[in-house]
Amino acid sequence: MHRNLSEEPYSTASHPGGATLGDPLLTTKLYVPPVQPNLVSRSRLAERVNEGMGGRLTLISAPAGFGKTTLLGEWALQSPLPMAWVWLDEGDNDLGRFLTYVVSALGGLHDDFGVAGVLDPLQSPQPPRVEAILTALVNEIVAIPGDFALVLDDYHTIESRTVHDAVSFLLESLPPQAHLLIASRTDPPLPLARLLARGHLTKLSSQDLRFTPEEASTFLNEAMGVNLSHGDIATLEQRTEGWITGLQLAALSMRGREDLQGFIAAFAGSNRYVLDYLAEEVLRKLDEQVQRFLLESSILGRLCGPLSDAVTGRDDGQAMLEKLERENLFVVPLDDERRWFRYHHLFSQFLQKELRRAEPESLPDLHRRACDWFEREGLAAEAVSHALAAGYPERAADLVERVARTTLRRGELSTLRRWLEELSEDLVWSRPRLCLFYAWYYLATGRLQAIEPYLRGAERGAQGSREMLGEVTTIRAAVAGLRGEPALAMDLARSAAEQLTEDNQFLGCIIAASRGFAYRSRGEVDAASEAFAEAAALSRSVGATYVALLADKYLAELRMVQGRLRAAAEVCRRALELVAERGKRLPASSAAHVGMGKLLREWNELDAASAHLREGIELGERGGNVEIVLDGHLTLSRVREALGDHRGAVEELETARRLAERQDSGMWVSGVRAWQATMWARQGDRWAAARWLAESGLSADDDLEYPREFEHLTLARVLVTLGEHADAARLLGRLMGAAEAGGREGRVVEILVLEALLFSARGDEPGAMAALGRALARAEPEGYIRTFVDEGASMAAMLRRLLRGQRDPGLEVSPGYVSELLVVLVPSTKSSWSFVELMSERELEVLRLAASGASNREIAANLFLSLDTVKSHLKHVYHKLGVHSRAQATARARELDLI
């Protein structure tokens, strides 16, 4: 309950720096803020404020720069409610002055409000007790007709317990037509828990106020006038964590710059605009003890009470963290128990910059204390980072050797790379295990050319260790498999298996995967699938999550190449279940998300595919797996193209190209360029497709190797586009023979689609229909969609011709499947169009009578047909609708508006 105000007098003296009651009012403190012309509309939040009008208090509590006032101004402009507004400042800690402004604001809603009952007593030589004044104020509020709202902005400037108690009294006593809105940088000491329990509190926090990626895009590109790509905006939104002022400061900093991507990549709390803002608006307004705690604890990526005590030398760390959270000082809780926290990224970077400027000599000791605490708690990974920062390389090296294998198994490749790169080269070369971990890192990230020197370094220091030599051989086997040297990979895999010890079953997983790479390079997808399935199972049994998920990714891809999409989906689901068991946000889970994204794209579930791909890309970047990130961007490009976002598709392809070139991988670069050429060919850009053909060095008579199969498929497509039909036909025939011999049924479907396009371009209608029919018959059981609809208008025309010409119910292609593809290709066309055109008038009559409940005999009598003829017609109808019973036919016909 609030304090007993009737027993507490109040002073009419001015708060230090404030005005006395006799001073004139500053009327600008009572204006509703004007809406800025470049406002980003936030209707979702305004609706939240509207929903709160049924209670007594709406609290908008967030750090500086999160748009609290802007939101309330937008809401006030749209709301039909009468509005009273008070901008508070430090001078309003005097209760008399506070009440004077509140009464003056409410006076704009009702003539002579509060003059006799509140203002006159406040001015009297012997003012009454506070409770009497507040009771009079409540009685005046009751007399205001209709609903209204009172806004108290910048409430964080209020520190007076007396003012807080007065506001608590008002909240307890407000009549139903009154609603109070408070905007504050901190949670005020009001009876919030009680109001929440009674359903009288609506609260919006910084998590609610942060810009969504879409709002950030509108703000930056339209309001602030910068022209950024979706990727750049996503990066900025992530760096600022949706902090509106942070985005605004970034936009201001970008003016006049040419290298925007470089600026965005480097944007941090050390930016001069961010520094000035946070220094002036946040840090310098805090007391010295809080400032010191913030600066010293800023070296921690995450912090809890005991850890902060160990680093700062205090004994009130938990209480301080809870205080920082209450006061919205850019601190983010990481668990429901409020034990672990972190600082907002830009705020943390700003604090670290300030610490380096003010007390650089304190940094080594602070990091040493953090290292000691993490090591005592058994958190060696965190201890490594602080040992490196403290300048203890030997201790850091010891810790890295202890935890690197676990880090590798979890797929946290960026962390491993950072540790290794921060150790001196002399230290690494003096420790064979560190050489081995470097080799593992380069293997996991696909930088095969960098591996061998480190393997030789490990061999030199192995001193005959069977375990280490077996590890070296295992890595060499994997490298050979990935380089497309299957014979060497198999020999090395056998040798590694002979050196394998019972204590290191992890290597068995890699050996199995190496065989998978070797078989895959020869196009033996069945054998490769078995090897990757073995690698995944072994990895699960020994807790090697990262290898298990990678093996599942390769296995799912091979299942897709085999044309077994549903089996591939089962592999991906199993991988995601493992992710859920081990930790949803593990970087290792990037492979599972990208794999699922590929499947969902083929099944035309584009929104879900985008979500999985973006998650996979983000986690892959965190983990440092460039191959997965590149694969994610390539697939996301295809998703965005399918959604009609051509610009976004090009951006994703360009990102993938930069990644491939940065890794200096000719194979990856060629693959990206092939995808680009596929896009050009589909768009009919003959000049760009011809340029790719000239630069690729490919020809229809090349030796066909499985690792370059997609490039040769692209070559066939480009040849069709350029009218080189004879070369295209010869190449497609050779590709078909190789795919069928290798059991690559998925490739067969793709080749048949290209053959159908080729025959159609040559004017060979029977050939086109035959190839398309074969492709559809193979694709339907697995639910292929995008393989067909990505071909656009030419495919739509062929599918329509196929339906018009199909009258034989013995054909394997379901009209329902063809119609489903047409609906995706031509959304404006009703689903029933294909069926109406396909069915004869007599079949439609039989269908309508059957749906009405007529028996076969009644249908026969009604249409003057024999009973056998009715049955024959129904059989044809069932086939064309893709159903097996009268009830199913009725339901499907109604769904398609046929009846």
Side-chain angles (χ1 to χ4, degrees), residues 29 59 111 126 131 175 188 197 204 228 243 257 267 307 314 342 386 407 435 518 532 583 592 604 711 805 846 890:
K29 284 166 58 75
L59 173 62
D111 292 341
Q126 295 293 328
E131 187 163 310
L204 279 74
L228 300 179
W243 179 37
R257 294 179 182 268
F267 183 71
L307 172 57
R314 302 167 64 101
R342 69 166 175 85
H386 290 288
T407 304
C435 290
F532 283 123
N604 202 43
E711 291 178 66
V846 170
T890 300

Side-chain angles (χ1 to χ4, degrees), residues 4-22:
N4 188 343
L5 293 168
S6 64
E7 298 177 359
E8 182 175 347
Y10 67 94
S11 169
T12 59
S14 168
H15 185 276
T20 64
L21 289 175

Side-chain angles (χ1 to χ4, degrees), residues 40 46 126 256 320 375 423 439 442 462 528 571 580 583 624 692 712 806 815 828:
V40 176
Q126 295 293 328
M320 182 65 78
E375 189 171 9
L423 297 173
Y442 284 133
V571 172
W692 171 84
H712 282 104
Q806 182 175 322
S828 60

Side-chain angles (χ1 to χ4, degrees), residues 101 127 138 143 390 573 602 814 844 887:
Y101 274 107
V138 171
R573 276 192 287 269
E602 177 59 48
S814 161
L844 284 171

Side-chain angles (χ1 to χ4, degrees), residues 74 174 241 359 361 396 418 454 591 617 622 673 716 793 801 850 860 863 891:
E74 179 190 2
L174 281 178
E241 299 187 64
E359 300 179 30
E361 70 283 353
R418 186 179 71 252
Y454 290 99
I617 289 169
R622 276 177 48 191
R673 288 176 177 168
R801 292 198 299 273
L863 298 178

Side-chain angles (χ1 to χ4, degrees), residues 523-544:
E524 298 176 23
V525 295
D526 290 343
S529 297
E530 290 180 12
F532 283 123
E534 178 187 350
L538 283 172
S539 300
R540 280 173 166 77
S541 68
V542 299

Side-chain angles (χ1 to χ4, degrees), residues 240-448:
T240 60
E241 299 187 64
W243 179 37
I244 299 171
T245 294
L247 288 167
Q248 185 177 27
L249 295 174
L252 291 172
S253 302
M254 282 187 277
R255 289 179 177 173
R257 294 179 182 268
E258 293 184 2
D259 183 16
L260 293 184
Q261 286 190 332
F263 168 80
I264 291 168
F267 183 71
S270 57
N271 176 273
R272 67 184 180 91
Y273 287 104
V274 176
L275 283 173
D276 291 345
Y277 184 88
L278 291 175
E280 293 295 332
E281 291 294 324
V282 181
L283 194 63
R284 291 175 189 168
K285 296 184 178 182
L286 303 172
D287 66 57
E288 186 177 344
Q289 290 294 316
V290 175
Q291 286 189 42
R292 175 155 292 278
F293 179 87
L294 288 169
L295 291 174
E296 292 181 345
S297 61
S298 68
I299 69 161
L300 302 168
R302 59 186 181 122
L303 59 159
C304 63
L307 172 57
S308 59
D309 287 343
V311 171
T312 65
R314 302 167 64 101
D315 60 4
D316 62 346
Q318 185 64 34
M320 182 65 78
L321 289 170
E322 292 173 2
K323 171 183 169 67
L324 295 177
E325 185 189 13
R326 284 196 306 273
E327 297 183 359
N328 281 323
L329 280 171
F330 293 93
V331 66
V332 180
L334 299 178
D335 56 37
D336 294 334
E337 291 78 26
R338 297 303 201 265
R339 291 186 60 250
W340 285 94
F341 297 83
R342 69 166 175 85
Y343 294 124
H344 184 289
H345 297 316
L346 288 181
F347 190 52
S348 175
Q349 292 160 1
F350 158 72
L351 291 173
Q352 291 171 33
K353 175 88 172 178
E354 283 290 294
L355 180 62
R356 287 193 297 272
R357 180 190 62 79
E359 300 179 30
E361 70 283 353
S362 69
L363 283 166
D365 192 47
L366 292 172
H367 283 293
R368 178 190 58 77
R369 295 178 196 173
C371 178
D372 291 344
W373 189 88
F374 279 118
E375 189 171 9
R376 283 197 305 271
E377 295 295 317
L379 300 170
E382 288 86 350
V384 170
S385 298
H386 290 288
L388 289 167
Y392 295 113
E394 292 288 348
R395 183 178 182 186
D398 290 340
L399 289 165
V400 169
E401 288 186 345
R402 191 189 311 171
V403 299
R405 196 173 301 280
T406 300
T407 304
L408 185 68
R409 289 184 182 187
R410 287 168 58 90
E412 296 171 358
L413 305 179
S414 293
T415 300
L416 180 59
R417 183 204 66 223
R418 186 179 71 252
W419 292 343
L420 293 171
E421 289 180 348
E422 291 191 34
L423 297 173
S424 69
E425 287 189 17
D426 290 343
L427 185 57
V428 170
W429 289 116
S430 69
R431 295 184 175 226
R433 291 202 176 278
L434 292 182
C435 290
L436 263 181
F437 290 130
Y438 246 125
W440 279 118
Y441 165 74
Y442 284 133
L443 175 65
T445 55
R447 296 176 61 182
L448 306 183

